[in-house]
Amino acid sequence: MVKNLVITFLSLTILGFILYHLGVFENLNSAGRDERSQHSEKRIKNVRKTPDFIIGSVYDSKDIPAAESVKGAMIASEILQTQGINVKYITVSNCQKRPETAAELQKLCVDYRVSAILGPGNSELLTSLRAISQFYALPLISPITIRPDKLPQLEHDNYVSFFPPLEKWVNAILAHMKENNIRKILIITPGNGTYGEIFSSVLERNGKDILNDFQVYRMTYPHPLRVSYFNNSLTNYGGQHKVDAIFFGGVADELPELIQILKNHNIDLPVYVSDDIIRNEIKIPEEISFKLFLPEAEVPVSNSKWLQMFVNRYKVQPSYHA
């Protein structure tokens, strides 16, 4: 009996070695790993087999910084192509809301030929989109202007970001305020971690360091701006709490509502806006009673091949977003 047990044990051991070398246990091992590891292995395998680098991008073409980032990346890809490196893009440019953006991103995530995602250009979407791309082991390259404070820690994080200095635009506004003796401002901005809210906070912080006796009042609204939000709440800022100027942290599509709100309250104060509202992309009605100031930050650029191609194609100098 003992002899039979020994023979059985030796037979099973030899069979185990044979199966191991045949790779039978490899699949069993994979089945026990977490889903992310399986996505990672599948992506590596497919990206290696694909002759081109495929980059996906999900963004809103009306979001000027995001659109400019994609334009800049595509020109860089053309330069790489002259060096024998082929890069192709899969772009979805009509995503304005979080649900549709997340849905389109997930479609790209399950295309395992895609080697990276460019985006989002909107810091408000970053947390949720980063979680999706991380689960599917897809690198996320995000050209946003400022780092969000509360990004959750993720294991095997594959998020890469580029942060141009926000102070370039903030200090352009503060320099104009200093020159025109503006010391008391009302900030009207969307909340919930939006770009306008982040920009406003940096403006307030830097203003207290740069300008003497700098005072800030703040009114926050849920995006998008509606004329009904403020009713009579702005009256005091033209009287009892009279301010010298307004900073508006919203987007270009909200300008008509802002114009109507100020008109309803007979406010003709100068209005400053963030770089999210680009001069040549908006139509300012001629009948507005206030002056609208857009920051003009100096953007140092080198005379590179990329810059020459960008200017030749789009007839403008690139911003930091590109």
Side-chain angles (χ1 to χ4, degrees), residues 35 57 79 84 111 135 146 226 252 258 287 289:
E35 288 185 69
S57 185
I79 295 173
D111 182 346
F135 176 76
I146 189 166
R226 294 288 181 263
L258 176 70
E287 69 273 13
S289 60

Side-chain angles (χ1 to χ4, degrees), residues 58-61 92-97 100-102 104 125:
V58 179
Y59 68 103
D60 176 9
S61 60
V92 184
S93 61
N94 59 348
C95 297
Q96 298 180 356
K97 303 293 184 181
E100 62 188 359
T101 305
E104 293 296 342
L125 299 176

Side-chain angles (χ1 to χ4, degrees), residues 74-315:
M74 287 184 171
I75 287 180
S77 300
E78 291 179 28
I79 295 173
L80 289 174
Q81 193 165 4
T82 64
Q83 302 169 6
I85 302 172
N86 294 324
V87 181
K88 292 185 177 179
Y89 281 87
I90 302 176
T91 60
V92 184
S93 61
N94 59 348
C95 297
Q96 298 180 356
K97 303 293 184 181
R98 187 189 303 270
E100 62 188 359
T101 305
E104 293 296 342
L105 174 64
Q106 191 153 0
K107 290 179 186 176
L108 289 173
C109 285
V110 295
D111 182 346
Y112 292 95
R113 302 170 305 149
V114 177
S115 56
I117 292 289
L118 177 64
N122 183 343
S123 56
E124 188 179 2
L125 299 176
L126 178 59
T127 302
S128 56
L129 298 193
R130 171 175 168 258
I132 295 171
S133 66
Q134 192 267 349
F135 176 76
Y136 285 100
L138 183 57
L140 181 70
I141 305 168
S142 181
I144 61 176
T145 304
I146 189 166
R147 184 186 303 273
D149 294 328
K150 298 179 181 179
L151 279 182
Q153 293 294 321
L154 295 176
E155 189 179 353
H156 305 298
D157 197 358
N158 53 356
Y159 167 64
V160 180
S161 53
F162 297 93
F163 303 102
L166 186 62
E167 280 78 7
K168 287 286 183 181
W169 294 288
V170 169
N171 291 345
I173 293 176
L174 293 174
H176 190 276
M177 288 182 175
K178 185 175 183 179
E179 182 180 344
N180 291 274
N181 199 32
I182 292 173
R183 296 295 183 272
K184 187 184 293 188
I185 69 168
L186 169 65
I187 291 176
I188 301 176
T189 183
N192 299 324
T194 59
Y195 178 73
E197 184 184 48
I198 295 170
F199 195 105
S200 300
S201 297
V202 177
L203 178 68
E204 181 175 357
R205 185 189 66 218
N206 287 16
K208 291 178 179 178
D209 293 336
I210 295 174
L211 303 178
N212 295 326
D213 302 322
F214 189 59
Q215 296 181 49
V216 173
Y217 299 96
R218 186 186 287 240
M219 300 185 72
T220 303
Y221 64 86
H223 176 79
L225 180 62
R226 294 288 181 263
V227 173
S228 60
Y229 286 164
F230 294 106
N231 292 324
N232 297 320
S233 57
L234 282 176
T235 304
N236 285 339
Y237 295 100
Q240 181 182 354
H241 302 298
K242 186 170 178 61
V243 296
D244 303 318
I246 292 171
F247 172 77
F248 178 58
V251 297
D253 288 346
E254 296 173 319
L255 275 178
E257 281 75 15
L258 176 70
I259 291 169
Q260 187 60 50
I261 289 169
L262 298 183
K263 183 179 179 180
N264 291 348
H265 290 82
N266 297 315
I267 294 175
D268 59 357
L269 296 168
V271 175
Y272 293 86
V273 296
S274 76
D275 63 296
D276 196 54
I277 300 177
I278 308 298
R279 184 189 302 276
N280 58 4
E281 294 290 341
I282 60 174
K283 294 181 179 179
I284 302 173
E286 295 180 358
E287 69 273 13
I288 65 172
S289 60
F290 57 88
K291 290 184 178 179
L292 186 67
F293 295 103
L294 293 93
E296 294 185 2
E298 293 186 11
V299 182
V301 290
S302 59
N303 190 25
S304 63
K305 183 177 181 180
W306 176 88
L307 174 62
Q308 294 170 10
M309 290 177 65
F310 192 98
V311 173
N312 289 339
R313 182 166 304 172
Y314 301 112
K315 310 305 179 188

